[in-house]
Structures are given as C-alpha cells and as structure tokens.
Amino acid sequence: DALARALLDHPHDLAAALARFEAGRLAFGRAVVRRARELGASMQAQILTPRERALAERHRAPEAVMAETAVATGLPAID
C-alpha cells in the first residue's frame, strides 16, 4: 500500500517514489528496533537507567508484552 501510494504520487519519477517509500519504511523499522530494545531491557538482569527500570516494571506481565508486540500500533517513528 505504501509503495503503491508513493508510485502514484510520483508517476514520472521512480527515484523520488522509492525515496519516499524508503523514508516511511525506515521510520517504521527504527520504531520497531527501538521497541524491541525497550522490551529487551525489561528482560536484562541489570537495568541501569530509570527509564529502563520503568519499562521493566511495565513489562513484567506477559499480557503487557503481548499487547504491545502482537500489533504494529503504538510505534511512533521518533528516535
């Protein structure tokens, strides 16, 4: 869907269409990696920062982890 939209928005400029598509996919990919790191921090034996401690506490219940990993919502593309 994202690729089709990019191609429709730039019908005569394949490079521009692919650049737009890539930018959107990279943002989503970074959000997924960041989220995986946050979840991983909750499983580590040593949690160093207050943010990591808060995330670890939040994800102690398997239901909380599944609620955030079984869907693609809640992944803001902000570093």
Side-chain angles (χ1 to χ4, degrees), residues 6-78:
L7 290 168
L8 287 172
D9 288 347
H10 301 281
H12 304 293
D13 190 348
L14 182 59
L18 293 176
R20 177 178 171 190
F21 172 74
E22 180 184 42
R25 298 298 90 200
L26 289 175
F28 182 76
R30 283 192 296 272
V32 170
V33 169
R34 184 181 60 253
R35 194 73 189 105
R37 288 179 179 155
E38 291 171 352
L39 291 170
S42 71
M43 298 175 203
Q44 291 178 350
Q46 184 179 11
I47 300 169
L48 304 176
T49 68
R51 183 170 190 271
E52 288 174 340
R53 284 193 294 278
L55 288 169
E57 188 59 36
R58 178 171 147 192
H59 296 112
R60 286 200 192 277
E63 297 82 10
V65 174
M66 288 305 296
E68 295 183 26
T69 58
V71 296
T73 59
L75 293 172
I78 300 170

